[in-house]
Amino acid sequence: MATWLRVGVSVRNMLRSLSSHRNIWYSRTVGAGLLSTVLAGGFIRYKYDPQWKLWPHIVYAEEVKKAETTVSNVSTRCLRFNQFASIMYEQEPYMTPRDFLHSVMMEYVDHKLQKKILTKSEVEEMMKVASNAEAGNKLFRGIGDKGLISYTEYLFLLTIVTKPQTGFHIAFKMLDIDGNEHVDKKEFQKLKKIINPRKKLLKLGGAEGLDTVDEVSTTLQVVFFGKNGKMKLHYNDFCRFMEDLQSEVQEMEFLRFSKGMKTMRREDFAEWLLHYTNEEDNEAYWENMRKRIPTGQSISFDEFKAFCLFTNHLEDFALSVKMINDASKPIGMAQFKRAVKIATGQELSENVLDTVFKIFDLDGDNCLSHKEFLTVVKDRVLRGLRVQPQYGFSDYWKCVKRETLQAAKEALRETGSPV
């Protein structure tokens, strides 16, 4: 799309040269002619330029200032990992536990130092810290920057944060061949390959490297299997680790959006819920919040945690809704509450339910479109890591047309011509 930016600049410069002409009709006619020429030229280039013959075309109109590469779901995670990873060891990037917590709460880093290059002795010291770390929902905060998390482990931990425990129970059972309710270090490597079946290419400032799994002992491996790697990981301990990590992330997010207070205002809850959603679509939700939610009402951490548990069971919730309601019709609060109970085994508080309905009930009939609601919550759960590319000539042409029109309008506006 950089080509189209250059074309837009050319259009703007040419139109500026027309500013001396006071004839409005003449300016608009010339502007329209130039715009038609640009669009026709784009079609000709698409038709005959060999480098544009690849199919399908993937266009990201909003990412023109970034690298002109297609970004898949996995590569988006790769970019997030590289952005937050603060250390290097043997030419490989690693996150610290602190980096991981920041990566699930924020989309990007405003200011960051260069990655620290670790020595072997520093890594050995980190493994000592991991071997002495106490399990619990402050594990990652306790280790802080004294630990190593590889890219594959980052994907594994992301899955723990965003998925219910039932999926991990199945994976654990698949690895527990003899049925003795524990796995060893080698089996854990297989689990990580299930999460990330292919080696991922990491691009770091023009350099390339492959995430290696077994060469370096990491903090997570030491926590699970001890410093020498000989300990066994029992299922109960595995479940406890998952619960603790989810609780730690939830507590960090709660404190961030509650501004460090013990309770979260309902408007803070709305801000958390809509944080990773499409800003073009959620203005109506913000308007609902301003009009319908009174000030001074708060949500406790236990209520927030129950809602987070619900968000990790969205597929079960969607299935429950289909069982008790016509999928094409909005869902009422009683039906919503019942579907949550079926999916999670727990209930959301009336306080949280009222907040959700006042935000997402667009027409004020005390019902909400559960499909639209699920779309918003999925974006929240995936924390901005879901990408929705546009495919094919039709979508490509729409993107080109939109970008060119935007550049032309800007140029006409600067020349004083009406648009």
Side-chain angles (χ1 to χ4, degrees):
M1 295 305 296
T3 301
W4 288 105
L5 284 180
R6 290 194 293 270
V7 171
V9 172
S10 299
V11 170
R12 182 176 58 194
N13 292 336
M14 293 178 69
L15 288 174
R16 281 174 174 170
S17 66
L18 299 174
S19 60
S20 59
H21 297 277
R22 298 300 181 181
N23 192 316
I24 297 176
W25 177 86
Y26 178 78
S27 297
R28 299 182 75 179
T29 301
V30 173
L34 288 171
L35 181 58
S36 300
T37 301
V38 169
L39 295 177
F43 179 79
I44 291 171
R45 177 169 183 178
Y46 171 83
K47 198 72 176 177
Y48 296 103
D49 194 333
Q51 70 178 352
W52 288 60
K53 287 292 184 180
L54 296 178
W55 189 270
H57 289 288
I58 302 180
V59 179
Y60 295 89
E62 301 301 327
E63 299 295 327
V64 293
K65 294 183 180 179
K66 297 181 180 180
E68 295 182 27
T69 57
T70 58
V71 183
S72 65
N73 289 343
V74 174
S75 63
T76 305
R77 289 168 170 78
C78 182
L79 290 172
R80 179 75 65 85
F81 176 83
N82 283 327
Q83 186 180 35
F84 282 88
S86 63
I87 52 181
M88 296 281 293
Y89 182 62
E90 295 183 351
Q91 298 183 334
E92 294 291 335
Y94 290 90
M95 278 184 170
T96 67
R98 187 202 298 266
D99 293 335
F100 174 77
L101 291 175
H102 287 175
S103 73
V104 297
M105 291 190 297
M106 299 181 289
E107 296 108 311
Y108 54 86
V109 181
D110 290 326
H111 305 286
K112 183 181 177 182
L113 302 177
Q114 291 183 351
K115 290 180 173 59
K116 179 182 178 180
I117 300 177
L118 297 178
T119 63
K120 185 176 181 180
S121 61
E122 288 175 322
V123 172
E124 291 175 350
E125 184 63 30
M126 286 182 171
M127 296 308 103
K128 291 181 182 179
V129 173
S131 63
N132 295 325
E134 295 184 5
N137 62 1
K138 291 181 172 57
L139 175 66
F140 277 36
R141 284 173 286 182
I143 297 175
D145 289 323
K146 301 296 184 181
L148 290 176
I149 297 174
S150 69
Y151 175 63
T152 312
E153 290 172 338
Y154 165 71
L155 296 179
F156 167 71
L157 293 172
L158 269 185
T159 310
I160 289 179
V161 171
T162 61
K163 296 295 183 183
Q165 297 177 4
T166 52
F168 290 97
H169 184 265
I170 294 172
F172 194 94
K173 288 294 185 182
M174 288 174 61
L175 297 176
D176 186 15
I177 299 174
D178 54 8
N180 58 4
E181 294 294 323
H182 65 69
V183 297
D184 57 26
K185 188 175 181 178
K186 290 183 178 180
E187 290 174 328
F188 178 68
Q189 300 298 340
K190 294 179 183 179
L191 174 62
K192 293 202 295 183
K193 289 178 181 178
I194 291 175
I195 302 297
N196 182 30
R198 296 174 297 175
K199 289 184 177 181
K200 305 301 177 185
L201 190 64
L202 305 181
K203 295 183 178 180
L204 300 169
E208 297 182 349
L210 286 173
D211 180 35
T212 54
V213 176
D214 300 311
E215 294 180 358
V216 178
S217 184
T218 62
T219 297
L220 205 57
Q221 293 174 18
V222 172
V223 169
F224 284 163
F225 308 106
K227 192 175 181 180
N228 58 8
K230 301 299 183 181
M231 293 173 57
K232 306 294 183 181
L233 177 63
H234 293 268
Y235 177 69
N236 290 337
D237 295 329
F238 187 58
C239 277
R240 191 176 301 112
F241 172 82
M242 292 190 296
E243 293 173 356
D244 288 339
L245 179 59
Q246 288 185 353
S247 179
E248 186 164 10
V249 170
Q250 291 161 9
E251 185 176 336
M252 290 284 290
E253 288 189 320
F254 182 86
L255 290 173
R256 180 189 176 193
F257 284 89
S258 69
K259 315 301 189 294
M261 304 298 288
K262 292 183 178 180
T263 59
M264 174 187 289
R265 290 176 176 174
R266 292 171 74 173
E267 56 265 36
D268 296 332
F269 176 79
E271 182 181 356
W272 169 81
L273 186 57
L274 299 174
H275 182 61
Y276 288 102
T277 58
N278 189 341
E279 293 183 0
E280 294 180 358
D281 299 332
N282 65 18
E283 182 56 37
Y285 303 140
W286 285 112
E287 187 64 21
N288 284 347
M289 185 197 73
R290 287 188 288 266
K291 289 181 178 180
R292 300 175 183 175
I293 297 179
T295 60
Q297 296 185 356
S298 301
I299 292 173
S300 68
F301 177 65
D302 289 338
E303 291 175 315
F304 175 80
K305 191 172 181 178
F307 186 84
C308 291
L309 173 65
F310 155 69
T311 62
N312 286 345
H313 291 79
L314 290 181
E315 293 181 1
D316 296 333
F317 171 76
L319 180 60
S320 301
V321 170
K322 290 181 180 179
M323 293 171 57
I324 64 177
N325 187 67
D326 187 341
S328 63
K329 294 182 179 180
I331 185 172
M333 187 177 293
Q335 294 169 316
F336 188 97
K337 188 175 182 179
R338 182 184 173 196
V340 172
K341 178 69 173 179
I342 294 172
T344 67
Q346 298 185 21
E347 294 184 353
L348 296 179
S349 69
E350 296 292 337
N351 191 22
V352 169
L353 282 172
D354 183 62
T355 303
V356 168
F357 268 74
K358 284 183 176 177
I359 294 172
F360 292 98
D361 177 13
L362 295 179
D363 53 10
D365 61 352
N366 294 321
C367 293
L368 56 82
S369 170
H370 60 275
K371 289 185 178 180
E372 187 173 357
F373 169 75
L374 286 174
T375 299
V376 172
V377 178
K378 283 179 181 177
D379 287 338
R380 167 67 253 182
V381 171
L382 294 176
R383 293 171 167 82
L385 293 175
R386 181 168 63 175
V387 175
Q388 298 174 332
Q390 295 177 304
Y391 294 93
F393 176 75
S394 176
D395 291 317
Y396 166 78
W397 188 246
K398 289 178 182 178
C399 178
V400 169
K401 182 179 179 181
R402 180 171 60 251
E403 292 296 297
T404 308
L405 285 173
Q406 183 176 353
K409 286 182 177 180
E410 181 183 351
L412 287 168
R413 192 180 300 112
E414 291 184 2
T415 62
S417 299
V419 292

